[in-house]
Amino acid sequence: MDSEKACESHKKRGIILSNMADTPQKLQTPRQTKLIKLLMENYVAENVGKSLGELMIEAGYSVASSKNPQLIMNSETIKEGLADYLSTVDDKRRM
């Protein structure tokens, strides 16, 4: 497979390669993106208080996945997606 076809293949799978020698970095899946958005909205909303499992189902994950949220929440893409938001929240909390 030539490098141009390889790059297209990686793009379709959500992998970014700035240089073919670099380590692939995963993009957030649509479900991960939606879950991160829902987590942030749920955190600031008053009197909503949905559980993590409920938010996962709303984001499109299966009931089985929602019963084991650590499998999703421990992924690097979720952690990275929440890191900036959580640091901002933490900074505000410390004020």
Side-chain angles (χ1 to χ4, degrees):
M1 182 183 284
D2 68 350
S3 63
E4 190 171 306
K5 287 182 182 176
C7 286
E8 283 301 313
S9 172
H10 283 96
K11 285 179 188 175
K12 288 179 184 175
R13 291 183 291 158
I15 298 172
I16 300 173
L17 292 177
S18 59
N19 180 332
M20 291 305 286
D22 290 345
T23 304
Q25 296 176 345
K26 289 277 190 179
L27 295 174
Q28 292 174 356
T29 66
R31 282 187 289 190
Q32 289 172 328
T33 302
K34 187 169 184 178
L35 179 59
I36 291 167
K37 180 180 177 239
L38 289 170
L39 286 166
M40 289 188 272
E41 289 172 355
N42 192 60
Y43 182 77
V44 297
E46 292 183 26
N47 301 320
V48 174
K50 291 184 180 178
S51 71
L52 180 55
E54 290 172 321
L55 294 174
M56 289 177 68
I57 291 169
E58 192 174 332
Y61 287 98
S62 69
V63 173
S65 292
S66 73
K67 291 180 180 178
N68 294 295
Q70 70 279 5
L71 299 175
I72 306 302
M73 297 304 293
N74 287 336
S75 75
E76 288 301 315
T77 51
I78 293 284
K79 288 178 183 178
E80 290 170 4
L82 288 173
D84 289 338
Y85 178 73
L86 293 176
S87 67
T88 302
V89 169
D90 193 43
D91 290 345
K92 287 182 181 181
R93 181 184 61 85
R94 292 179 188 195
M95 292 179 148

